Amino acid sequence: MPISDSVVLRGEVVIHHPDLVNLYGCEVGNGSRIGAFVEIQKNSYVGERCKISSHTFICEGVTIEDEVFIGHGVMFTNDRLPRATNVDGSAQSEADWKVEPTLVRKGASIGSNVTITPGVTIGERALIGAGAVVTRDIPDFAVAIGVPAAWLETSGPPRLTELSSGRPHTPNCILWRSRRYPLR
């Protein structure tokens, strides 16, 4: 699995196992890290200081802004009506379908084994729980879980404080409610 000559790696990009990735026609920003068995297709973009964990598939039309975490085995999709052939039985070509772009905004975190359907936007600093299926836009600072993913109301940008240990902490940045807010 190669890193094609058409790939643009900006600055210090770390690819832990360059022989075990498949990157072509994409751009990866400075300070980003790419795990093993990751595929990033043409016309996709990964911003600066991102972490793309192993076994992730980033297809054509996906834009990932800066400081995004992508967990293991995350699958992006870009076609709502995938088909191998046309009605007449001929093989489909790029002219026979349309890429639906997906946007992951700055600082979002996507848990392992999440599937993201085409045409959605995941908001700034949103958190998607492991195993979720994202079928609709997720607002900024929201936490989304489940199949299909539903979001829990948030209180806006987290406020960083320090624990007595000196470690950063984000208290009360999410208002957990007894009900979920389905995306409609």
Side-chain angles (χ1 to χ4, degrees):
M1 293 192 282
I3 299 173
S4 169
D5 292 337
S6 62
V7 172
V8 176
L9 301 176
R10 304 251 181 235
E12 300 293 322
V13 175
V14 175
I15 301 175
H16 296 286
H17 299 281
D19 294 337
L20 300 176
V21 297
N22 188 23
L23 280 61
Y24 56 95
C26 61
E27 183 176 339
V28 181
N30 183 41
S32 289
R33 298 167 291 163
I34 310 291
F37 307 109
V38 168
E39 179 168 341
I40 306 176
Q41 294 185 333
K42 67 180 181 177
N43 302 322
S44 56
Y45 173 81
V46 175
E48 296 184 354
R49 299 173 307 284
C50 293
K51 181 178 181 187
I52 311 298
S53 300
S54 69
H55 299 87
T56 291
F57 177 70
I58 300 171
C59 56
E60 181 177 2
V62 173
T63 298
I64 297 172
E65 293 183 350
D66 299 342
E67 302 171 9
V68 169
F69 171 83
I70 306 288
H72 300 279
V74 171
M75 296 292 147
F76 289 87
T77 60
N78 61 7
D79 184 3
R80 288 194 194 275
L81 301 169
R83 297 281 187 256
T85 61
N86 295 310
V87 176
D88 65 4
S90 63
Q92 279 199 344
S93 69
E94 288 191 28
D96 295 316
W97 64 284
K98 179 184 138 204
V99 171
E100 291 189 52
T102 297
L103 174 62
V104 180
R105 298 204 45 226
K106 182 178 179 176
S109 292
I110 300 173
S112 294
N113 200 35
V114 168
T115 299
I116 301 166
T117 60
V120 300
T121 296
I122 296 174
E124 183 176 344
R125 297 259 173 221
L127 174 65
I128 311 299
V133 176
V134 179
T135 60
R136 301 276 192 257
D137 291 350
I138 304 296
D140 293 350
F141 306 104
V143 174
I145 57 175
V147 178
W151 61 277
L152 303 168
E153 187 175 4
T154 66
S155 61
R159 299 173 309 279
L160 283 177
T161 63
E162 281 193 14
L163 299 172
S164 58
S165 65
R167 292 187 338 213
H169 180 61
T170 55
N172 304 319
C173 65
I174 301 166
L175 298 176
W176 292 93
R177 304 277 181 147
S178 60
R179 61 187 171 132
R180 292 179 7 173
Y181 293 83
L183 299 168
R184 297 183 209 256

